[in-house]
Each structure stands twice: as C-alpha cells, then as structure tokens.
Amino acid sequence: MKKFSISKSRRLRSTPYTSRIEKQGVSSYTIYNHMLLPAGFGSSLEESYYHLKEHVQIWDVAAERQVEITGKDSAKLVQLMTCRDLSKSKDGRCYYSPIIDDKGGLINDPIVLRHNEEKWWLSIADSDVILFAKGLAIGYNFEVNIFEPCVNIMAVQGPKSFALMEKIFGKDITELKFFGFNYFDFRGTKHLISQSGWSKQGGYEIYVEHINAGLDLYDHFFHVGKEFNIKLGCPHPVERIESGLLSYGNDFDINDNPFECGFEKYVNLDSDIKFLGKEKLKKIKAEGVNKKLMGVTIESKEIELFSLSVSIDLFDENSNKLGELRSAVYSPHFGKVIGIAMIYKSFWKVLQKFTIEIDGISYNGNICELPFI
Amino acid sequence: MKKFSISKSRRLRSTPYTSRIEKQGVSSYTIYNHMLLPAGFGSSLEESYYHLKEHVQIWDVAAERQVEITGKDSAKLVQLMTCRDLSKSKDGRCYYSPIIDDKGGLINDPIVLRHNEEKWWLSIADSDVILFAKGLAIGYNFEVNIFEPCVNIMAVQGPKSFALMEKIFGKDITELKFFGFNYFDFRGTKHLISQSGWSKQGGYEIYVEHINAGLDLYDHFFHVGKEFNIKLGCPHPVERIESGLLSYGNDFDINDNPFECGFEKYVNLDSDIKFLGKEKLKKIKAEGVNKKLMGVTIESKEIELFSLSVSIDLFDENSNKLGELRSAVYSPHFGKVIGIAMIYKSFWKVLQKFTIEIDGISYNGNICELPFI
C-alpha cells in the first residue's frame, strides 16, 4: 500500500505531547477534531496489539477535545442534544451519550462528564459539536457559556495501567470506579482522571489542564513505567474492532440513527425529558430499522486492507447488495480480516455469506455479531 | 524535516478524484472538512509555483464542501450567520461572507452562492458549518432544509485556464464574470461553474454534481490540456500567502474577529439586516482592535519552515512579545520566508523588526503589509 505524507499546518493542531512523541518515533497520524492524533509507530500493528493486551501504553489523545458548557441552562442544553436520559446523572460520573439532530441523525457520540448541574464537558468524537451547541444555545436563548477549554487528554491503557497508576497516585485511585472521575494530585497539581478509554483493556484518561504539569507527569510515566514494560501507543484499529468500539465518521455518521448503530440502551424514549429528534426516534422505533451495524469476517491475510477511505459494497451470490463495509483490519487473533459493516435487514443472518471486491480482487466473507471478543 | 504518513480511514473521506490523483502522483495530503485534500506532488514547491503562475492546473478541491440551505426561511438563516449584507445579493453570484458567532468570533469564511432566494450553498472552509446552521435553525424554528449535497469541486487555476475553458465550453464561458456562476454543458451534462478559486492566478471552480460526468470532464481536461501545459496541482502555500489569501484555522479562528483579520469591507453594520454578533461588532469597531493580521518576512532560506503546527511567538529586541506567526513559507520570488502573523497594536509599524526561534535557531524578520504581491 502506498504511503502519503501529511502536510502539517497550524490548522491541523499539534498537541502538548507532539514534540515528545515525534522524538519517541511516531510514524503516522490521523486528524481528529482538527488536531494530530498519533496512529502508528515504528513497531508493527501486531506487536502493538499484543503489547496493549498484556502491558500498559501511554496515548496522546488530546484530539479528544472537550466542549465545556456552563451556566444556568447548561443541563437543559446538554439534555436537548442527547437521547440518553441524564436527569438522574451524578456529579463525577461519565456518560456515553449519542448526540442526534432533529431528524434522529447522529452528530457525535461523546462521553459526557458531569462536573455538576451547571458544568459539563462533552469529550467528543470527530465533529464540531461546539458549533451545534452554540447554534442551539443562541436560537433557544439559553443562559450558557460554551467554549473549548485547554484540556489535553493523556490515556493510560492496558491491564498493567492499574498497578502503574496506583504506584504514581497511591491507593486512592484504586477506588475510582469505571466511568467515574475525580481529581488526583501529582507533585502539587490536581489532575482530573477518569477510569475510561478507547480500548477494552482497562485504563484511565487524564484530562490535563495544566500543560507543564502534564508534561512532567508524561515523563514520569516513562520513568517509573519501565517495570511495567510501558510503551507509547495509540487507539488500536484491531483491538477496537474486536471489542466492537464504534468510531464516528468511520462506522456511522449523520445518515445513521442510534437504533441502526446498536445504541438502543442509550435511547430513553419513555421518560418526559426533552431532546431533539425524540418524536422521530419514537416513530423509527415503532416501525423498526431497515439496516444495522454488524461484524464481518473476510478471508484474507492482507494486513493492510484496513486502510479504507470509502465504504465498500458487499454482495450476495446473486449480486444483490447486502450492505457496505465501513471499517476493516487484519486480526492476528482470528487470522483473517474483521470489520464493521452496515447490513440491510433481509440479510441479518449470522453466517450470511458475501463477496467484496477491493482493488480488483474478490474476497469471500461472513456476517457475524458484534463485538468479536 | 521528518515526514509522517497519513493513516487513511473512511472518516477521512476520499473524493471521486482520489484514485486518479494517486495514479498521477500525489505525494501528500492535508485533511479539510473530514476529507482528503491533495497538498503536494512529486515536483518541488518551486516548480509548481512557477507552473501555476504561467500555465494551468487542475485541483481536486472536493474538500471545499457545500452546505445547502433551502426553504422559506433560508435567506433569513444565511443572513443571520454572516456580517456581510446579503439583502441585495443576486441569483447566480458568489459572495465571500465571514460567518461569526454571537460574540463576533469567526466560525468560517465561506463563499456563499445564491442560487435563488430560497436556495443557497455555503462553500466552506474547514469547520462543520452545517452543525452551526442546524443548531440555529432548530432553535429559531426556521422552515429550512439543511444538508451536504453531493458536490465535488474541481478547480481550474492559472492564466491559461481561460483559453482552456473556452476550448471546452465554448464562447459562452468567456462571458462569466468574476464571482459569477452559471450552468455550462459538457457532453450532455450541465455543470455549475463559477469564475473563482483559491489563487490569484485566475480560473474557475466546477461544482461537480454528477460524479461520472465529472470524471469524464476531468479526463478530458488532461486530454485537451496538453497544448496549455496542463498539470495536476493543489492550493499552493506560497502563492496563497503572497496573494494574501487567508486560511481559516491557519491564519485565524474563533478567537479572532473580522476586524482583526482585515475583513472590514465584509462587515455591514449600518443597514438594518439582522445577524449574530452585530452589537458586539459595533462595540469592537467603536473601541478599535488590539491585534491584527499582517505580513512578515523572515531572513531564511529554509524552504520547509512553512510546516508550522502551532503558532510561534515573535519578540522585539527587548524580548517583548509582539505577536505570533501563524503561517509561513519560503518564497522563491522574494528569496526569503514570508508569513502571516497576528500582531499587537503597539507594533503595527511596517519594517518593525522581530526575532523568532524555530527548532532552537533564532531568525530575524520584519513586519509588512498584506498582500505581498
């Protein structure tokens, strides 16, 4: 596969960690929220895959930007944007909350952090949620303040992250529950830390608000992390697909609704909360959806097949289109390519066979359930 | 300068032209509106610079996405978003129209195409204007339809573009005025074409709505363009800075207002049109601004200095910060680095000297007016 270089400019913002990461050997980037997000290092995908599942990695995920919404009407605005019922949400907790428009189309799928009733962070996927929030707030004349705070997340992911974090932050951090967050001290600076992250290998996200203190912590990780075999990493295309962690823009977008993406449990239609697209979603639920995201396996050992830059159609043996592949990657665990595809209703059968053509070569595959592992 | 590869995925959408352009030798990309935008070819920056100024180039600028706004309240919504008075705008004309929020901060600087009173396209720079428009429309309960149509712009730029376009589209196209648009036929398909483009070398933008017909036209350009020395190109970092064409996200962003960016002539505060941030802009105008965009020259022949990924501070001889550099590139014409910088008021003197440190090396420079040429 031919490689193309990225043309850097201020518009593709670097992060506070970029200069360190470039010295440490980052080799490729993706762009996420107008910012550099590391996507590969010198090591092979397979090597970093096993490392993530066995040890601990530090990820520069500053590109997971925050939209801060504060003020009297902030809870009302945040609720208006998501189909998840946040009326019983608690301070110090994270909530995975799909954001939809008035037609039920998905705009983003952030983690919502509730600091308190009048201060919220939306830790966003790759779209300018801040502009949607601003538009709504202006139109509804809400009393809110909306901005992007200086927050640059550093993630600590992998099974050894628990022991590493305890070594640095002490016993207190072991009391932090999954999707809980709190402030923890390192050398006199309090960092907001949540037990979360974009892998299923366990770990934390550190919402660095003080750049120098964050860089000090970053360096400390690599200093004390040696005994845990710490390495630099990044969100892993194989691990995330195996784990069924969906990616906005890759697996789904504004043309898809929450029911088509398996987000039923985050759609609360029965309470009296007010959110955009509620009536539309009730109608969709009553009628049922005609397509949904499912897993696929493809018989191929082409380890670089995952580099899709468009959807690719899937066909049955009679050349009927049965769906489209949106993400795919070679899985060392399964010894074949696995992927996430939008499949039409009449083909929702596990083990449904299909063919797919990539670069003029035809491959055979099967549909399966998500997650893979 | 170390090169980093781009990690492709569906989230960084390819364009209808991508497969052709990759065969023709594109070597680097930037990402713009979640889409691949070619940023370099095998040839040197200098070679493509002189070629653009003397001949004609085809650019894949599909990443200049359109936001289509139609319906009864569409004119009201478009006007609400821009400080430029569009009340006397005409069908078939393009309008450069800064979009601002209620605080006067810049959100985008699209070309607005008025199809008619109830159909508008916003040909956008790199931010999700569609989300701002949707939020406003929902909040104000406007009767509008807002979506991203299937439009993939191909630009024809350079002094020979006029003769080339006349050869293909006939005499009619020579009657198209600057920033006018109309439909022109090629082999039975009507294409919307404007006389515009992101260079000052003259040319057209073809708003391709029918992909196959567009690809047919693309191939035809290279077939009949030989006599004009046609080549593949892309928005050129040297030409655009010399010409003072600003780039959203690079030179200015939501923390800057139109007066700070030299957009005075697009700010209409005296008529009775209603737009966001109008009172705020009146106040800013009355008080005057404390920073503005200016040109800089830097004594260096480092041709790859332009690859900034953050702003870099500028200092006077007493170590007072006098502004920040936001874009920079080596200009073969001037034999030095030229750039665009945000300069504080007390230093708005042409020939004001400064020093700047890049990668540990200190350079001397001077402030100047924009554009350079």
Side-chain angles (χ1 to χ4, degrees):
Chain A
M1 190 183 55
K2 191 166 167 9
K3 286 195 191 293
F4 302 94
S5 63
I6 191 158
S7 173
K8 282 196 188 181
S9 72
R10 179 178 180 264
R11 187 171 52 74
L12 312 183
R13 303 175 284 182
S14 63
T15 85
Y17 317 110
T18 301
S19 63
R20 279 168 168 73
I21 280 166
E22 295 192 350
K23 274 183 203 135
Q24 288 171 280
V26 66
S27 57
S28 69
Y29 285 116
T30 183
I31 299 299
Y32 199 88
N33 288 319
H34 314 277
M35 197 168 229
L36 299 172
L37 174 60
F41 299 89
S43 59
S44 71
L45 261 189
E46 189 164 342
E47 205 177 316
S48 59
Y49 168 83
Y50 287 115
H51 181 268
L52 172 60
K53 295 184 92 161
E54 289 165 23
H55 305 288
V56 57
Q57 298 184 347
I58 299 295
W59 296 0
D60 168 5
V61 284
E64 291 173 7
R65 305 307 292 166
Q66 307 306 302
V67 177
E68 178 162 329
I69 304 180
T70 58
K72 194 171 78 64
D73 293 323
S74 56
K76 206 193 289 183
L77 175 57
V78 173
Q79 182 62 77
L80 193 66
M81 291 196 287
T82 180
C83 50
R84 179 166 186 178
D85 184 351
L86 295 174
S87 62
K88 293 179 190 68
S89 59
K90 294 188 179 72
D91 296 356
R93 294 286 304 164
C94 302
Y95 298 89
Y96 179 71
S97 306
I99 292 186
I100 58 173
D101 68 10
D102 55 335
K103 310 279 195 297
L106 283 152
I107 280 178
N108 204 288
D109 64 330
I111 302 290
V112 172
L113 286 80
R114 177 178 155 136
H115 290 255
N116 58 57
E117 178 74 13
E118 295 197 5
K119 180 178 175 184
W120 305 74
W121 280 356
L122 278 56
S123 189
I124 58 171
D126 180 30
S127 72
D128 297 334
V129 171
I130 192 170
L131 298 183
F132 190 52
K134 273 178 180 269
L136 289 169
I138 292 167
Y140 281 107
N141 203 20
F142 283 158
E143 259 186 59
V144 289
N145 195 15
I146 302 169
F147 62 102
E148 185 184 284
C150 177
V151 174
N152 294 284
I153 298 180
M154 179 185 350
V156 186
Q157 298 286 299
K160 293 183 182 168
S161 56
F162 301 99
L164 172 62
M165 291 290 278
E166 186 179 347
K167 181 166 179 169
I168 294 176
F169 291 98
K171 201 75 190 162
D172 284 359
I173 200 138
T174 64
E175 283 158 31
L176 191 61
K177 294 199 177 106
F178 184 68
F179 265 37
F181 69 84
N182 210 335
Y183 285 86
F184 296 91
D185 181 89
F186 175 71
R187 294 180 180 168
T189 299
K190 295 222 174 284
H191 296 283
L192 189 160
I193 301 179
S194 63
Q195 199 208 117
S196 59
W198 213 56
S199 85
K200 286 264 173 91
Q201 307 311 314
Y204 299 87
E205 289 179 297
I206 304 165
Y207 290 70
V208 171
E209 294 171 83
H210 308 281
I211 290 176
N212 287 335
L215 291 173
D216 191 23
L217 175 57
Y218 179 97
D219 293 338
H220 190 66
F221 271 124
F222 287 95
H223 185 66
V224 303
K226 282 175 198 149
E227 63 175 294
F228 303 99
N229 192 14
I230 197 168
K231 283 193 179 167
L232 206 53
C234 56
H236 200 284
V238 182
E239 195 278 339
R240 78 102 182 158
I241 291 181
E242 286 183 353
S243 303
L245 291 170
L246 300 181
S247 166
Y248 186 74
N250 286 321
D251 306 319
F252 63 105
D253 58 39
I254 200 166
N255 300 304
D256 306 309
N257 69 52
F259 294 113
E260 292 165 339
C261 302
F263 296 153
E264 290 81 353
K265 68 173 176 174
Y266 307 112
V267 181
N268 301 124
L269 297 172
D270 299 328
S271 71
D272 61 355
I273 54 165
K274 190 182 164 195
F275 62 83
L276 300 176
K278 191 173 185 181
E279 293 311 310
K280 180 75 184 167
L281 288 188
K282 280 184 181 173
K283 190 161 174 283
I284 292 168
K285 190 181 181 184
E287 292 171 356
V289 296
N290 295 312
K291 59 181 170 70
K292 71 173 182 185
L293 290 179
M294 296 188 74
V296 299
T297 60
I298 299 171
E299 297 302 327
S300 167
K301 297 199 182 289
E302 303 270 332
I303 61 164
E304 284 178 337
L305 196 67
F306 79 96
S307 204
L308 302 180
S309 63
V310 288
S311 302
I312 303 183
D313 292 345
L314 309 177
F315 296 95
D316 74 1
E317 66 277 19
N318 301 315
S319 301
N320 299 308
K321 181 175 168 181
L322 56 81
E324 55 178 47
L325 182 65
R326 295 185 170 179
S327 294
V329 67
Y330 175 79
S331 161
H333 178 81
F334 291 101
K336 59 178 85 172
V337 169
I338 60 172
I340 293 168
M342 187 59 85
I343 305 294
Y344 302 138
K345 190 173 184 176
S346 44
F347 300 96
W348 289 352
K349 293 183 290 284
V350 168
L351 291 179
Q352 163 75 44
K353 288 182 168 48
F354 63 82
T355 60
I356 182 171
E357 193 181 304
I358 299 176
D359 293 336
I361 300 168
S362 184
Y363 300 89
N364 295 314
N366 288 288
I367 292 174
C368 62
E369 298 288 355
L370 286 172
F372 289 88
I373 292 181
Chain B
M1 189 184 56
K2 188 163 163 22
K3 284 193 193 296
F4 302 94
S5 64
I6 191 159
S7 173
K8 283 196 186 180
S9 71
R10 178 178 180 262
R11 188 170 53 74
L12 312 182
R13 302 174 286 181
S14 62
T15 85
Y17 317 110
T18 300
S19 62
R20 278 169 169 74
I21 280 166
E22 295 192 350
K23 276 183 202 134
Q24 287 172 281
V26 65
S27 57
S28 68
Y29 285 115
T30 181
I31 299 299
Y32 199 87
N33 288 320
H34 314 277
M35 199 169 227
L36 298 172
L37 174 61
F41 299 89
S43 59
S44 72
L45 259 188
E46 188 162 344
E47 205 177 315
S48 60
Y49 168 84
Y50 287 114
H51 181 267
L52 172 61
K53 297 186 92 163
E54 289 164 23
H55 305 289
V56 57
Q57 298 184 345
I58 300 294
W59 296 358
D60 169 4
V61 284
E64 291 173 8
R65 305 309 289 167
Q66 307 305 301
V67 177
E68 178 163 329
I69 304 180
T70 59
K72 194 171 76 68
D73 294 324
S74 56
K76 206 193 289 182
L77 175 56
V78 173
Q79 182 61 78
L80 193 65
M81 291 195 287
T82 180
C83 50
R84 179 165 185 179
D85 185 351
L86 295 175
S87 62
K88 293 178 189 68
S89 59
K90 294 186 180 74
D91 297 354
R93 293 286 304 163
C94 302
Y95 299 89
Y96 180 71
S97 307
I99 292 185
I100 57 172
D101 67 10
D102 54 336
K103 311 279 196 295
L106 283 151
I107 280 179
N108 204 286
D109 64 331
I111 304 289
V112 173
L113 286 80
R114 176 179 156 135
H115 290 256
N116 58 57
E117 177 76 12
E118 295 197 7
K119 179 178 175 183
W120 305 75
W121 280 355
L122 278 56
S123 189
I124 58 172
D126 181 29
S127 71
D128 297 334
V129 172
I130 192 169
L131 298 183
F132 192 52
K134 272 179 181 268
L136 289 169
I138 293 167
Y140 280 108
N141 202 19
F142 283 158
E143 260 185 56
V144 288
N145 195 14
I146 303 168
F147 61 101
E148 185 184 284
C150 177
V151 174
N152 294 284
I153 299 180
M154 179 183 352
V156 185
Q157 298 286 301
K160 294 183 181 168
S161 57
F162 302 100
L164 172 62
M165 290 291 277
E166 186 180 348
K167 182 166 179 171
I168 294 177
F169 292 98
K171 200 75 190 164
D172 283 0
I173 201 140
T174 64
E175 284 159 29
L176 190 62
K177 295 195 176 113
F178 184 68
F179 265 36
F181 69 86
N182 210 333
Y183 285 87
F184 297 90
D185 180 89
F186 176 70
R187 295 182 179 164
T189 299
K190 295 222 174 285
H191 296 283
L192 189 161
I193 301 179
S194 62
Q195 201 208 117
S196 57
W198 213 59
S199 85
K200 287 264 173 90
Q201 307 311 313
Y204 298 87
E205 289 179 296
I206 304 165
Y207 290 69
V208 172
E209 294 170 82
H210 308 281
I211 291 177
N212 287 333
L215 292 173
D216 190 25
L217 175 56
Y218 179 98
D219 293 338
H220 190 66
F221 271 124
F222 288 95
H223 184 68
V224 304
K226 283 176 197 146
E227 64 176 293
F228 304 99
N229 193 14
I230 196 168
K231 283 193 180 165
L232 206 54
C234 56
H236 200 284
V238 182
E239 195 277 340
R240 79 100 182 161
I241 292 180
E242 285 182 356
S243 302
L245 291 169
L246 301 182
S247 168
Y248 185 73
N250 286 320
D251 305 319
F252 63 106
D253 58 38
I254 200 164
N255 301 304
D256 307 310
N257 69 51
F259 295 114
E260 292 165 340
C261 302
F263 296 152
E264 288 82 353
K265 66 174 174 172
Y266 307 113
V267 181
N268 301 124
L269 296 172
D270 299 329
S271 71
D272 60 357
I273 54 163
K274 190 182 165 196
F275 63 82
L276 300 177
K278 191 173 185 180
E279 293 312 308
K280 180 76 184 165
L281 289 187
K282 280 184 180 171
K283 190 163 175 280
I284 292 168
K285 190 180 181 184
E287 291 172 357
V289 295
N290 295 313
K291 60 184 171 69
K292 71 173 183 185
L293 290 178
M294 296 188 75
V296 299
T297 59
I298 299 171
E299 298 302 328
S300 165
K301 297 198 182 291
E302 304 270 332
I303 61 165
E304 286 180 335
L305 195 66
F306 78 98
S307 205
L308 301 181
S309 62
V310 289
S311 302
I312 303 183
D313 291 345
L314 309 176
F315 296 95
D316 74 1
E317 68 277 20
N318 301 317
S319 301
N320 299 308
K321 180 176 168 182
L322 54 81
E324 56 178 47
L325 182 64
R326 294 185 172 181
S327 295
V329 67
Y330 176 79
S331 162
H333 178 82
F334 290 101
K336 59 178 84 169
V337 169
I338 61 172
I340 293 169
M342 186 59 85
I343 305 293
Y344 302 139
K345 189 172 183 175
S346 44
F347 301 95
W348 290 351
K349 294 183 290 284
V350 169
L351 291 179
Q352 164 74 45
K353 287 183 171 46
F354 63 82
T355 60
I356 182 171
E357 193 181 306
I358 299 176
D359 294 336
I361 301 168
S362 185
Y363 300 89
N364 295 315
N366 288 289
I367 292 174
C368 62
E369 297 288 354
L370 286 173
F372 289 88
I373 291 181

